[in-house]
Amino acid sequence: MDLVALPAFADNYIWMLHDGAQAAVVDPGDAAPVAAALDRLHLRLAGILVTHHHADHVGGIDALRSRLQGPVWGPARESIPQPFEPLRDGQHIDVLGLRFEVIDVPGHTAGHIAYAQVDAPKAPLLFCGDTLFSGGCGRIFEGTPQQMLQSLTRLASLPADTRVCCAHEYTLSNLRFAAAVEPGNTAVTAHLEHCQALREQGQPTLPSTLELERRINPFLRCSEPPVVAAAQLQGAESREPAQVLAALREWKNRFR
Ligand code: ZN
Ligand code: FE
């Protein structure tokens, strides 16, 4: 099975899985890059997976329906273009012979879901939309910091070699922020240099792995003393991880 990151808009990725004959895509905010890839690789479109309702994730669905030979799967608790098969926490779907579990990850949006592969002997796939980014997390638009913390904690508990397929190329800006939160974290500075080189070559910095994210992503490190201390300097009301996350998220929103 091949995994391809199709760039869309300024910094989105539409993830495409294919076996040389059939393809599935995740969060096609734009139909054009998907159609181009299907044509270039002579693939049939067998399914569309959607993580949440934002336009940059669902905008291409209707234009792809004429070539779609399978379902659109999406979050049961969100309004996305009909018809689609509504998914709830704990349900499983089969995509090109791979088995994925649906995980509720509210915070960025209220009904956001992620898709975690459950039948891989190693390096399982995780499609996490705008919840977990490399070095960061999504903005909290519809949920609470407590919900985002729970969602990120759930994702972080998946196997360490999980391949983290995020929907945006935000890694460099996230790692610059992570370096401000934890100036002493050498894993952050080393990975920032690595990702700068990748971007200079026009390469994606994704997928990441959970093993790496646990070391570099401040939003997965809300109980680590240096992260707690930095958050308190930014006004975190307590050492509670949800308060730490809230302070980090607000700091990141204004960080340049
Ligand atoms: Zn979004
Ligand atoms: Fe997005």
Side-chain angles (χ1 to χ4, degrees), residues 73 76 115 133 145:
W73 289 285
Y115 300 86
F133 294 124

Side-chain angles (χ1 to χ4, degrees), residues 51-57 108-109 112 129-130 133 141 168:
T51 62
H52 69 292
H53 69 85
H54 285 160
D56 64 313
H57 299 251
H108 177 69
T109 63
H112 198 305
D130 288 357
F133 294 124
F141 286 125
H168 289 271

